[in-house]
Amino acid sequence: MTPVLEIRRASKSFGSHRVLHDVSFAVYAGEVHALVGENGAGKSTLMNIIGGIHRRDAGEIMLNAEPIDPLDPWQARQLGISVVFQELSLTPNMTVAQNIFVRREPTSALGLIHWRQLNDDARALFERIGIDISPTELVGNYSVGIQQIIEIAKAISFDAKVLIMDEPTSALSESEVDRLFSIIAELKQQGVAIVFISHKLGEVLRIADRVSVLRDGEMVGVVNPSDSNQDEIIHMMVGRSLGDLYPAKGVVSDEVLLEVEGLSHPPLFHDISFSLRRGEILGIAGLIGAGRTEVARAIFGADRYSRGSVKLAGIKLDLKSPRQAIAHGIVYLTEDRKVMGLFLSMTMRDNIVSSSLARFTDALGLLKHRAIADESLRAIKQNDIRPRDDLLSMTSLSGGNQQKSLLAKCLSANPKVLIADEPTRGVDVGAKVKIHQALRDLANRGIGVIVISSELPEVLGLSDRVVVFREGHVSAVLDGDNIAQADVMRYAVQ
Amino acid sequence: MKFVARFLIVLLLLVALASSAALSLGQETETYGMVVFLKGSEFFNWAYAGMVDAAARIGDHIEVQLLGPAEWDASLEAREIEQLTARGVDGILATAGDAETMNASIDGAIAAGIPVVLFDSDAPGSNRLAFAGTNNYNAGCSAGEAVADWHGDAARVGISTFPGPDHLARRVEGFEDCLAAAAPGAEIVQIVNDEGRVDGAETAITAMLQANPTINVIFASHGNPGPGAAAAVRNLGIVGEVDIMAFDFGLPVLELIENGEIRATVGQNPYLMGYMGMLLAFGARHETGVTAGSGFGPYATLIDTGVQILGPDDIDPFKNPPTFE
Amino acid sequence: MRRSISLFDSSRRLRSSLAPARLLQNRSVILALLILVISIALSILTPAFLSSRNLTFVITGMTYDLLLALGMTIVLLLWGIDLSVGSVLGLTAVVTTMLLQDGVSIPLAIGAGLGVSALCGATNGFFVAYLKIAPFIVTLGMMSVARGIATVLTSGYFVSGLPDAYKAIGQGRLFNVPYMVYFALVVVVILAFLLRNWRPLREAFYIGTNPEAARLAGIRVALITLGGYVFCSMMAGTAAIFMTSRLSMGFFQFGLGAELKAIAAAVIGGASLRGGTGSIFGATLAVFLLALINNGFVLLQGSPNAQNVIMGGILVIAIMIDAYRRRDLAED
């Protein structure tokens, strides 16, 4: 049997930096082939070469044993290779259907677009996936999670022979992941070859028929999930053992630090109450769209709420802006680091101190450059951001190091309460462990930490208590060391 | 007998004429509107004064109105013309703030049988009956002849203008031609771009005078460079060594003529524009039948209202322009 | 890997930035070299150029453009644009001179003029920062409103008959150089210092790079944006004071078309239409470069038509460089 897609001895360098070396890789019809590796291992470059974004320096791409040479993503799609990128390619101001069928709208003889057919086609596509999304809604009105699903639907709509997905689940909640996996199973039945790139090894082992591991631009090996395990794969990825993914839990004080009472802002969330204690990591679990981010932003003063109260150390706050929240010691780490978190074209130093400039300002409003430089170097060391050059532009850092910089920015503001929204989205395992440890260290220093995550194992592994959100309400507050994943799911969906 | 018969006929004609004149006193009122793109401006107040005088000359039954936006807006001006058309006035005098914008409304009035005469700024693409305004070539020519008068063959001239508007190009052309004709030895040393601004003129003319110390005359092709040229001459400390020929009689130009920094200016005659425009519109309204056509001949007419070179002795009347409510 | 310039330079970076290769990446250095090349060429081609008198007039003539370009740099830095500066200049000129004509005292008339310009800027800033209307739309509206008011106030008349003491502001000299040149240079130095060291202006870089991230980082996005527009308009107002005083008159058409020159100079000087960058020295050098080119044109007897083409060409090239730089950044 010949593979649908085969890469033979591909190499690629950017300048003097070698990112792929002599990599071979094959995927068969009806196979789900996972591609794993730490950030910077070359997964994205490999995918970009297949998808027509970059040109390889050496090697061949074979589609059904024929050599191909896609020059751009559009051409690759015409050949039957569809890539779902981690970065969304959707236009927020166009409708769902318009986004999916952009440049291939059904037209009449006069060249006018058949809007009804366009929307019907999109509806049929969603039925096939089994999700209820309105084709006529603007994409921008949907959450990042739903947008990810629309992106996948768009890729499927090309009648792809090969479907490549880069971190498709990074923005999805558990139930959405289940739905995606059933879509993948369906496509597999139809004979589509699927390349699945992910950091989440649990998911990889669940869905993949084979797993290829990349490290430092080279193919380390291909394993069969049935005779391998997570530890072995991690070992192959990093070339060493990582130890436990989650740090040991600490001692939580009884002192309530932050108290949220009856917070409401219909229709987004209703009557939200919970408390956060000093030294505690409080997990917030729930499906995408359950109102977790909305509540976090309301507490942070980024959005308004209509009723309820937020108390910090017993004193009622009426925050009108993030600036006031930060001044009170409430800091929010956003879920969307590129759009709302970082200043990508600016340097690491500029980013790290962006929330804490008040600390480095004298009475006249003039900045203390020396202290700022010291602070950024200290933060880089503390958070182990690499490379250790704080004058690098943010764009030249990997996802994991960008995320660590975002955390460093929040910590630089000296928080009493840190609300971390998806703190490990799209980062590799190594960075993930370090971020988890950093959050626990904060809690151990007496800071209250709220972690919002769509990865249930992360919420459970990290948190002292878990608040479960469902459709804008708090459906449960779970306590204790051994909260079962199934319990959380039950409260999240029922 | 023959003589008596002839005498009687003449007498009869005279009586008829006199009675028609007497009748005209009790005649129905006629309304004429003047539409400008900047109501209240000094220049158009002069034009309106000319219209008022011409109307009074024709008779008490002629009523005139001054209309137009208080800010520079040709589209509002077009709307005024449309409203006058709707009211069915007897004639319209208009100056085109922007010809393209106004062609339609002018043609609309003509189609409704209302005579439209343009003054100052023409709209040649429209069906307007006539135009009364400055012939820009002739205006430039007058300035050129005056400069030839001042310096003869020794004239070394710098010109301040800006590229684009056709009427400025005509003025410069007329200036060059007539200076060359009247003083073949005179020379246009340089033309600079003042970007249409006073401060732009100051900068450009300052540089020009430094690069060309021989220049002894500056000709400003429009209203703004005159004061700019005076400032440039002041900058270089050569007041009195360079004669400035300005354009129009804006207040700063008049002040500078009075204190000797500007030698003369090219004065247009907006009063005559309004006066002639009124007569033309009235003529079109009341065809004599003597000649065919529009009331003043078979062709649309262009009337040059002329310019006058104004020196220190001529400017007094312009210091107090007429005002209207 | 892309190293960039941090907002918070330490001496470490300053030293490395003096390496020749990095030096050539600096916009101000390129502009300074261009100015040097053009100056040398002009002084060879025409003896009139290198006289201290000519250079003084070049600098005097560029003062208005410089003040406008400085204000525009701050607004562009904030990812805004201000198309109304020319009209605000005209309105301020008319208001100030009409008050003087009516016998109002000089400080009061200047204060009222600057107050009017600040009000225009505050209106722009309020609509942009608080009502979130696109700066292009808001300032285009202000452009026609301010010019319209200036026209209605004067009916197109020149305003003249200003007191001699007022004329001294623009016409007075120290060491044969007009006061206003010193004033502009002081503004340049102070503004450059503040842009480097003053927190609100430092925060403007963040706002222009990513306004939403800036808000979440606790930066007063709306207030600083408002301030930027007020500053920009007041620079136009200041230019109006100098212009009316220097020319001893007010006119509703003062500043016509000045916005394009200001935007061109700011962009050539290193600001981007996409926000987040801008340099005071860069803008200053750019204004000087444009003034030199204009001066050279006149000195070399170039045709006025070609002058317009060249100035337009320079603007197009500047905007192309800006677009190219942005694409470069996006590809990273």
Side-chain angles (χ1 to χ4, degrees):
Chain A
M1 191 169 138
T2 50
V4 180
L5 179 73
E6 189 181 1
I7 312 301
R8 290 185 187 157
R9 313 198 56 165
S11 294
K12 174 77 186 174
S13 298
F14 291 111
S16 60
H17 185 52
R18 194 185 66 183
V19 285
L20 276 186
H21 181 62
D22 214 12
V23 167
S24 296
F25 172 78
V27 56
Y28 294 88
E31 181 193 33
V32 177
H33 194 141
L35 190 59
V36 299
E38 284 197 276
N39 270 0
K43 303 182 306 269
S44 297
T45 308
L46 182 59
M47 188 187 61
N48 285 339
I49 283 175
I50 300 170
I53 304 225
H54 291 325
R55 299 274 291 163
R56 64 199 181 280
D57 297 336
E60 281 182 293
I61 308 173
M62 314 289 286
L63 186 70
N64 289 320
E66 296 282 329
I68 58 161
D69 200 8
L71 293 171
D72 57 56
W74 185 253
Q75 216 178 49
R77 284 187 163 176
Q78 298 302 315
L79 290 167
I81 302 172
S82 266
V83 185
V84 180
F85 292 96
Q86 201 176 343
E87 312 293 327
L88 298 176
S89 70
L90 305 173
T91 309
N93 294 328
M94 284 165 63
T95 69
V96 171
Q98 283 166 3
N99 263 290
I100 290 177
F101 295 106
V102 63
R103 286 175 71 186
R104 33 185 199 129
E105 297 86 353
T107 53
S108 69
L110 289 171
L112 300 174
I113 294 173
H114 270 306
W115 291 110
R116 193 187 303 165
Q117 200 196 326
L118 183 84
N119 293 330
D120 288 348
D121 288 352
R123 214 167 277 124
L125 196 61
F126 290 131
E127 252 165 51
R128 182 174 153 198
I129 304 172
I131 189 159
D132 186 25
I133 295 174
S134 164
T136 52
E137 188 69 50
L138 293 185
V139 162
N141 292 344
Y142 283 115
S143 67
V144 180
I146 305 281
Q147 289 186 22
Q148 185 78 39
I149 289 178
I150 296 169
E151 188 85 47
I152 290 163
K154 179 178 172 183
I156 294 168
S157 72
F158 277 86
D159 284 326
K161 294 192 203 74
V162 182
L163 181 65
I164 304 173
M165 293 188 252
D166 186 12
E167 296 284 351
T169 62
S170 64
L172 303 193
S173 63
E174 297 280 330
S175 77
E176 284 165 333
V177 169
D178 287 344
R179 197 173 286 151
L180 174 68
F181 281 7
S182 70
I183 295 166
I184 290 177
E186 171 66 27
L187 293 170
K188 199 173 137 172
Q189 283 291 314
Q190 296 169 12
V192 178
I194 292 156
V195 181
F196 186 88
I197 299 171
S198 179
H199 286 118
K200 299 180 184 172
L201 293 183
E203 288 175 358
V204 164
L205 292 172
R206 205 174 122 200
I207 189 86
D209 299 310
R210 288 191 300 156
V211 180
S212 285
V213 183
L214 274 172
R215 185 174 73 220
D216 298 334
E218 294 186 37
M219 191 59 83
V220 187
V222 183
V223 297
N224 202 327
S226 55
D227 34 70
S228 180
N229 60 43
Q230 204 157 329
D231 287 344
E232 190 196 352
I233 293 174
I234 290 178
H235 191 80
M236 288 172 78
M237 280 164 62
V238 300
R240 66 196 135 85
S241 295
L242 272 176
D244 201 346
L245 262 174
Y246 301 104
K249 299 197 174 170
V251 185
V252 179
S253 107
D254 288 337
E255 187 188 338
V256 170
L257 190 58
L258 184 79
E259 187 157 24
V260 176
E261 264 178 6
L263 212 61
S264 300
H265 193 65
L268 297 174
F269 51 86
H270 314 267
D271 200 23
I272 303 289
S273 300
F274 61 83
S275 63
L276 171 72
R277 288 171 290 176
R278 198 179 285 283
E280 181 182 39
I281 296 185
L282 180 73
I284 297 187
L287 303 182
I288 292 206
R292 298 169 302 169
T293 295
E294 289 78 0
V295 168
R297 286 176 58 97
I299 295 172
F300 184 55
D303 296 325
R304 310 315 317 267
Y305 51 87
S306 20
R307 279 193 311 283
S309 70
V310 176
K311 285 185 196 160
L312 182 70
I315 297 161
K316 193 178 168 196
L317 300 178
D318 184 21
L319 302 176
K320 293 198 167 57
S321 68
R323 193 180 62 83
Q324 293 176 354
I326 292 169
H328 280 95
I330 299 177
V331 175
Y332 172 68
L333 184 147
T334 171
E335 59 170 339
D336 191 341
R337 69 168 172 263
K338 289 195 172 171
V339 174
M340 285 186 272
L342 295 173
F343 305 90
L344 285 175
S345 60
M346 297 169 88
T347 66
M348 211 194 289
R349 180 186 297 177
D350 298 331
N351 275 278
I352 286 171
V353 299
S354 59
S355 280
S356 48
L357 287 173
R359 276 174 61 202
F360 308 105
T361 310
D362 68 15
L364 291 171
L366 301 179
L367 290 161
K368 303 170 193 163
H369 295 287
R370 172 55 67 188
I372 285 172
D374 291 347
E375 165 68 8
S376 94
L377 290 173
R378 188 199 60 74
I380 284 171
K381 216 172 280 174
Q382 188 197 1
N383 293 283
D384 195 26
I385 304 170
R386 281 162 202 270
R388 291 197 171 173
D389 178 351
D390 67 339
L391 295 179
L392 280 180
S393 159
M394 216 62 216
T395 46
S396 40
L397 299 191
S398 71
N401 282 305
Q402 285 186 356
Q403 192 69 20
K404 285 192 220 162
S405 304
L406 185 62
L407 181 63
K409 164 191 161 185
C410 294
L411 298 189
S412 179
N414 283 341
K416 291 189 190 113
V417 171
L418 174 68
I419 308 173
D421 197 350
E422 304 288 358
T424 63
R425 169 175 291 172
V427 309
D428 59 64
V429 187
K432 210 168 192 169
V433 170
K434 281 179 180 138
I435 290 170
H436 290 158
Q437 187 59 52
L439 292 174
R440 178 51 71 185
D441 289 348
L442 281 178
N444 289 343
R445 276 169 32 211
I447 290 162
V449 179
I450 296 176
V451 172
I452 300 172
S453 174
S454 297
E455 272 184 69
L456 261 187
E458 180 172 81
V459 175
L460 298 179
L462 211 50
S463 312
D464 299 303
R465 282 188 306 149
V466 175
V467 179
V468 187
F469 273 47
R470 187 183 70 222
E471 290 169 4
H473 295 271
V474 171
S475 58
V477 180
L478 305 173
D479 207 341
D481 278 343
N482 295 306
I483 307 167
Q485 206 156 325
D487 286 345
V488 177
M489 272 322 287
R490 196 154 44 80
Y491 286 116
V493 297
Q494 266 177 9
Chain B
M1 265 319 276
K2 246 184 185 176
F3 172 78
V4 173
R6 219 187 252 172
F7 178 79
L8 278 175
I9 290 168
V10 171
L11 196 70
L12 240 147
L13 273 171
L14 276 173
V15 169
L17 229 130
S19 55
S20 81
L23 270 173
S24 79
L25 287 174
Q27 248 170 352
E28 256 182 77
T29 313
E30 287 182 25
T31 308
Y32 292 80
M34 172 179 273
V35 184
V36 299
F37 52 78
L38 186 56
K39 191 181 169 195
S41 93
E42 182 182 341
F43 194 90
F44 294 139
N45 278 354
W46 277 109
Y48 187 60
M51 183 186 191
V52 169
D53 284 357
R57 205 63 90 241
I58 296 168
D60 288 345
H61 63 294
I62 307 293
E63 274 187 5
V64 292
Q65 290 177 341
L66 178 61
L67 301 158
E71 57 181 305
W72 196 311
D73 190 335
S75 66
L76 290 179
E77 201 190 348
R79 203 173 309 155
E80 293 283 10
I81 293 180
E82 280 156 18
Q83 280 171 7
L84 286 178
T85 307
R87 274 171 46 198
V89 294
D90 294 277
I92 297 172
L93 271 64
T95 179
D98 177 66
E100 294 300 318
T101 313
M102 298 185 50
N103 280 345
S105 59
I106 294 170
D107 290 353
I110 294 285
I114 298 172
V116 181
V117 174
L118 288 199
F119 69 98
D120 184 42
S121 297
D122 199 4
S126 71
N127 294 331
R128 93 279 183 265
L129 300 179
F131 169 73
T134 304
N135 179 314
N136 286 298
Y137 182 91
N138 292 348
C141 178
S142 301
E145 284 168 349
V147 166
D149 230 28
W150 292 350
H151 292 279
D153 287 341
R156 295 292 175 269
V157 185
I159 298 178
S160 181
T161 184
F162 68 103
D166 184 58
H167 66 284
L168 297 191
R170 301 247 149 262
R171 289 176 190 171
V172 172
E173 199 184 322
F175 182 88
E176 289 174 333
D177 289 354
C178 296
L179 177 64
E187 198 185 318
I188 309 286
V189 179
Q190 186 168 4
I191 301 178
V192 289
N193 180 1
D194 54 44
E195 300 170 57
R197 307 196 321 259
V198 183
D199 60 309
E202 180 191 348
T203 308
I205 295 169
T206 304
M208 173 171 76
L209 288 174
Q210 287 180 92
N212 308 283
T214 57
I215 289 179
N216 53 12
V217 176
I218 291 166
F219 171 53
S221 80
H222 56 109
N224 288 343
V233 168
R234 219 180 298 134
N235 282 341
L236 295 168
I238 49 174
V239 178
E241 294 170 34
V242 177
D243 289 328
I244 298 167
M245 174 67 83
F247 213 99
D248 288 341
F249 40 79
L251 279 178
V253 170
L254 298 183
E255 281 174 12
L256 290 163
I257 289 177
E258 207 152 46
N259 70 20
E261 292 189 53
I262 290 180
R263 181 157 173 184
T265 189
V266 182
Q268 304 190 67
N269 199 341
Y271 176 91
L272 194 57
M273 296 176 195
Y275 192 94
M276 292 307 295
M278 180 65 224
L279 293 185
L280 289 169
F282 182 81
R285 185 80 192 137
H286 302 275
E287 289 182 31
T288 56
V290 176
T291 48
S294 54
F296 33 79
Y299 305 112
T301 304
L302 300 174
I303 291 178
D304 181 6
T305 49
V307 293
Q308 171 90 33
I309 303 300
L310 305 173
D313 304 332
D314 313 312
I315 56 175
D316 276 346
F318 299 101
K319 285 183 188 161
N320 295 303
T323 52
F324 299 96
E325 266 318 297
Chain C
M1 294 270 166
R2 169 187 289 272
R3 277 177 72 98
S4 340
I5 299 165
S6 166
L7 300 179
F8 314 107
D9 284 344
S10 62
S11 52
R12 180 163 71 96
R13 211 203 82 76
L14 215 60
R15 238 177 289 127
S16 75
S17 73
L18 289 177
R22 286 201 63 77
L23 218 50
L24 273 179
Q25 283 174 24
N26 186 318
R27 184 69 68 94
S28 294
V29 174
I30 297 173
L31 286 171
L33 285 178
L34 262 174
I35 288 170
L36 196 68
V37 169
I38 291 178
S39 300
I40 291 172
L42 282 176
S43 51
I44 293 169
L45 290 170
T46 160
F49 172 74
L50 212 55
S51 73
S52 69
R53 206 168 60 162
N54 182 50
L55 292 178
T56 307
F57 292 132
V58 170
I59 293 171
T60 308
M62 71 179 235
T63 305
Y64 318 120
D65 291 339
L66 176 57
L67 292 172
L68 297 183
L70 295 178
M72 191 64 75
T73 298
I74 302 299
V75 169
L76 287 176
L77 173 60
L78 287 160
W79 197 359
I81 195 163
D82 190 346
L83 300 174
S84 68
V85 287
S87 297
V88 170
L89 195 165
L91 179 60
T92 309
V94 162
V95 168
T96 309
T97 51
M98 285 182 88
L99 289 174
L100 288 170
Q101 210 179 31
D102 284 356
V104 173
S105 78
I106 292 173
L108 208 62
I110 292 177
L114 291 179
V116 165
S117 69
L119 193 67
C120 292
T123 309
N124 282 336
F126 178 76
F127 278 96
V128 171
Y130 291 92
L131 303 184
K132 316 266 182 238
I133 302 174
F136 185 88
I137 306 293
V138 171
T139 58
L140 191 67
M142 180 57 74
M143 178 179 174
S144 80
V145 168
R147 185 72 68 195
I149 296 173
T151 314
V152 171
L153 284 176
T154 59
S155 298
Y157 280 66
F158 287 91
V159 186
S160 64
L162 307 181
D164 285 340
Y166 181 72
K167 294 178 191 169
I169 296 169
Q171 296 176 10
R173 289 154 185 260
L174 183 66
F175 305 122
N176 223 15
V177 174
Y179 298 148
M180 66 182 196
V181 172
Y182 297 106
F183 177 88
L185 290 181
V186 168
V187 171
V188 165
V189 171
I190 291 178
L191 199 58
F193 174 80
L194 292 181
L195 198 61
R196 207 179 114 74
N197 295 299
W198 194 42
R199 185 169 150 213
L201 281 178
R202 262 341 207 175
E203 291 177 334
F205 283 88
Y206 291 102
I207 296 171
T209 303
N210 187 340
E212 183 57 19
R215 192 175 80 93
L216 292 182
I219 291 169
R220 295 181 202 238
V221 175
L223 189 66
I224 291 172
T225 304
L226 176 79
Y229 281 95
V230 171
F231 173 76
C232 183
S233 283
M234 289 191 74
M235 283 288 102
T238 309
I241 304 297
F242 285 126
M243 192 181 284
T244 49
S245 156
R246 185 162 177 79
L247 300 169
S248 358
M249 64 166 122
F251 189 39
F252 75 108
Q253 281 187 337
F254 275 1
L256 203 63
E259 59 282 345
L260 282 184
K261 255 186 157 176
I263 293 167
V267 170
I268 291 169
S272 165
L273 297 177
R274 176 57 188 69
T277 61
S279 157
I280 294 304
F281 288 128
T284 307
L285 291 172
V287 173
F288 188 49
L289 180 69
L290 294 179
L292 268 192
I293 292 173
N294 263 331
N295 181 249
F297 231 95
V298 177
L299 294 184
L300 296 175
Q301 317 248 349
S303 115
N305 294 306
Q307 191 177 357
N308 275 6
V309 173
I310 288 199
M311 286 318 234
I314 289 172
L315 178 59
V316 169
I317 289 169
I319 286 171
M320 271 165 55
I321 290 172
D322 180 41
Y324 179 79
R325 192 176 50 175
R326 245 184 294 160
R327 205 189 54 183
D328 199 33
L329 213 61
E331 271 179 0
D332 250 7

